[in-house]
Amino acid sequence: MEFTDTPEKANALTAELKKIKDVNGPLMIALQKAQEIYGYLPFEVQNKIAEFFNVPLQDLYGVSTFYSQFYLKPKGKYTVGVCMGTACYVKNAGDILQKLKTLLKLEPGETTSDGLYTLLATRCIGCCGLAPVITVNEDVHGKISASDIDTIMKKYKE
């Protein structure tokens, strides 16, 4: 998918960068603001931030790839995260992930060609008492099994 910028988004990013230019350690804030505007952090946007703050692009890229909150590719309308933390893993989260991979025809980290779903294998999300857990955007589904996936995913069509 090719990145296409708009004047509105470019101007919004520039305005946000100007607001934080004198803040100590502005890169995290800049990346967060850019992702809010664009939905992800394409190379062109990272390059613009690096140039604005006069930092090497590889330093910015290092930050954007280290933290799991940042996405380098567009996400789908529905981001489906399967918690693979210890509590979920021992309660068969692997089976749930496999069911979602088959249903969505995706590997973790991929997005469907129609832009509807992104599948992620996540670290602990802090709902260990509900293990195993999946999230769909902000919705949490706990104490589930692979057999529950079809019913859950029917809620997230279009």
Side-chain angles (χ1 to χ4, degrees):
M1 180 179 212
E2 188 175 313
F3 173 72
T4 306
D5 205 355
T6 65
E8 295 80 15
K9 288 181 179 180
N11 291 337
L13 179 60
T14 299
E16 291 296 335
L17 296 179
K18 286 178 180 178
K19 286 180 193 176
I20 61 171
K21 70 179 176 145
D22 295 322
V23 172
N24 280 338
L27 296 183
M28 286 289 290
I29 299 168
L31 290 169
Q32 289 168 338
K33 295 295 183 183
Q35 187 162 279
E36 286 174 16
I37 294 166
Y38 290 95
Y40 71 114
L41 297 171
F43 168 80
E44 296 84 354
V45 171
Q46 290 183 64
N47 195 47
K48 182 175 183 176
I49 294 168
E51 288 177 356
F52 185 89
F53 289 108
N54 196 30
V55 299
L57 179 59
Q58 65 262 26
D59 289 357
L60 194 72
Y61 181 78
V63 173
S64 64
T65 57
F66 180 79
Y67 293 99
S68 62
Q69 73 190 60
F70 297 124
Y71 298 96
L72 303 184
K73 297 178 190 174
K75 292 189 309 179
K77 178 178 179 181
Y78 300 110
T79 299
V80 182
V82 180
C83 179
M84 297 302 284
T86 304
C88 290
Y89 186 80
V90 299
K91 292 189 176 185
N92 300 316
D95 294 344
I96 294 168
L97 181 60
Q98 186 58 49
K99 174 72 176 192
L100 283 162
K101 286 168 55 173
T102 301
L103 179 69
L104 300 176
K105 298 177 180 70
L106 293 176
E107 290 297 320
E110 294 180 343
T111 300
T112 54
S113 60
D114 62 3
L116 199 55
Y117 303 104
T118 296
L119 179 62
L120 301 174
T122 67
R123 298 189 188 272
C124 180
I125 62 167
C127 295
C128 300
L130 297 176
V133 173
I134 70 166
T135 57
V136 182
N137 294 349
E138 301 301 318
D139 299 337
V140 176
H141 302 274
K143 295 187 178 185
I144 63 170
S145 68
S147 63
D148 298 318
I149 294 301
D150 288 327
T151 302
I152 292 169
M153 293 308 293
K154 282 180 184 173
K155 299 175 189 175
Y156 305 98
K157 299 263 189 197
E158 305 293 325

